[in-house]
Each structure stands twice: as C-alpha cells, then as structure tokens.
Amino acid sequence: MTEQITTPASATPAPDAPAPAPSARDRRVLRAVLRWTAAVVVLVAVGSATAYGVTRMDRTDVPGLATESDGRWKYPTLTAAPLPAGSPGPFAERNAAGAHYADLRALLLPAPEGATEDRALRGTDGWLETKTFLAEYGDESDRDAVRQKVVDAGLRHITARGWTTPDGTHTRIYLLQFGTAAVVDELHTAQLAPYDGPAFVARGTDAMGPDRDFPEAADSDDVLSSVYVEPEPYGAEQVRQAYLGAGDVLAVVLQSREGGAKEVPFQQTVALQGRLLG
C-alpha cells in the first residue's frame, strides 16, 4: 500500500523574492553537465505538485527494496510542507533561484517508528548552530575548511534531525539553506561531494568511496546526489553518507552502525528525504 504526501490548503504570506539568479533553464543545463561529468547518481523522482507516495514505496519502486522483509523502516505518513500563498515550488519555471519557500524545518524527514530521537540535533526552535553540523567531520582542519566554504557560499540556516533505531543504527540528517540553487550546485559538485569520494571525511572513518550498489531509483533533473560508503575493512562502526543538492538546499545524510551500516534503511532514508525536498 502506497501512502500519499499531500499539500495542506493553509498558507501564509509569501516572503520577499530571492536575489536574482541564473534562469531555471540555465540551471537545468548546468546540472545535467555536472551530473554527467561527475557521474552523480540520481536517486529521486519529482512527484506532482499536490500528491505522491513516499512512505511505503511499492516493492518494485526501488531496486534493493524488493520484499517486505528486506529491512525497511516504517515511517509515518509524510505531509508536504505548506507553501506561502502564491509562492512557487523550488523547481517551478518562475522560481529562477530554486528557492524553497516552505519552512526548512518542515522539510526534514521524520524518524521512523520505534526510533529514539537525538536531542542534541534539536537546536534552538529547530535551528542548529553551524558548529554542531561541523562536528560530523573528524579532523579539525576539515571542520575549519568546511566552515569557510559554507560561510563563503552564504549559508542562511541549518536544521537537523537524528535518531537511533533498536538495531543501533544512528541516523543524522542536516539541511543547509543557501541563497540560490546555483550556489548549491557549485558547493555540492565542485567543493564537497565529488564522485570518487567526499572532499572531507566524516567522523568515525578514515576513508569513504562511491556507493556503487546504491540503486538508480529514478532519473530526475532536479536533485543532484553523491552517495558514499566506508569500505571494508572498517573499524567498530561503518559509516554511510549522502549529499543531496535540491534547489537552494544542500542535504547531508549520515548513518553509522556497529558491525556494519545496512544498505536498505540507508537507501530508503536518502530516497525519502530527497522526495521531501522535491
């Protein structure tokens, strides 16, 4: 059974228009070139403006999620964040900057059933300090470098959510919002998430490479993705990581687990978070 994600009818006044940016057509061309040259895996498909199923995808929707007993988590019904009255979606033709006008905090994937929330990621009123996000990078010089890159790119907000499931998998999702999609495209592909491995290594691992087993669930012109996994032999925990570029938002998804981070929950989490941003 596929549940639906719906857009509530309530709305609030539209915010000020974002700063001028390259046209939507130019950005799509740029994204296509970046994805081709970087061999970035695209993982999510854009649904309709009003409704699309996300929480319990059909068995054939995503390769690797083939049976009911394959380890998928049970997520609550996901509801699309309301847009201010008259505001376009992030990938609408008239939204040249690729701006998400919905509240960024409402775009976070909720925790699955049975998970324990990571209270450290709640922040203040849902907004997270940059230093908390930077703590995901193990080396101090890497943290300094990432801080400089996001500041130079005009970071506006960070919101996050984390949880631990009964099997010990620790998930963290960070949404970083910038001024335009063009800024996110550059930051994602050229500075943080090249195809052959992340530019800065996550805490808990010494090296990560491309996750070649991650399924190409959909071909989308809207979401850029780079997906990585810590190769064997790894230490006490294995780490998986994904960067998603969706309009003016850069999402960073991490999962770690003692004895090995399982493929299917990671694939499911990344795909659903991508769809919420679309």
Side-chain angles (χ1 to χ4, degrees), residues 231-256:
E232 296 182 352
Y234 44 80
E237 290 189 328
Q238 184 186 32
V239 180
R240 294 180 182 271
Q241 182 178 28
Y243 286 88
L244 306 177
D248 63 348
V249 174
L250 178 69
V252 183
V253 182
L254 295 114
Q255 281 187 355
S256 55

Side-chain angles (χ1 to χ4, degrees), residues 5 125 179:
I5 181 166
D125 294 329

Side-chain angles (χ1 to χ4, degrees), residues 146-248:
V146 174
R147 178 190 295 108
Q148 192 62 54
K149 287 183 181 298
V150 298
V151 168
D152 289 346
L155 177 65
R156 296 172 57 194
H157 305 293
I158 302 178
T159 189
R161 177 166 290 135
W163 62 81
T164 301
T165 48
D167 70 349
T169 302
H170 186 199
T171 300
R172 292 89 73 201
I173 301 175
Y174 300 89
L175 303 184
L176 290 74
Q177 190 167 36
F178 297 86
T180 67
V183 168
V184 171
D185 289 346
E186 166 67 18
L187 187 64
H188 173 279
T189 305
Q191 301 189 49
L192 295 180
Y195 172 71
D196 58 351
F200 304 97
V201 179
R203 182 182 76 234
T205 180
D206 294 326
M208 300 185 78
D211 186 351
R212 303 184 190 280
D213 295 325
F214 196 92
E216 295 189 22
D219 185 10
S220 171
D221 286 336
D222 297 318
V223 178
L224 293 171
S225 62
S226 298
V227 186
Y228 309 111
V229 61
E230 181 181 9
E232 296 182 352
Y234 44 80
E237 290 189 328
Q238 184 186 32
V239 180
R240 294 180 182 271
Q241 182 178 28
Y243 286 88
L244 306 177
D248 63 348

Side-chain angles (χ1 to χ4, degrees), residues 70-112:
D70 61 8
R72 281 174 291 177
W73 291 339
K74 186 177 181 180
Y75 282 94
T77 300
L78 306 182
T79 302
L83 286 170
S87 296
F91 306 113
E93 286 290 338
R94 64 190 180 97
N95 189 349
H100 283 82
Y101 289 107
D103 189 326
L104 188 67
R105 295 166 293 185
L107 298 176
L108 276 167
L109 183 67

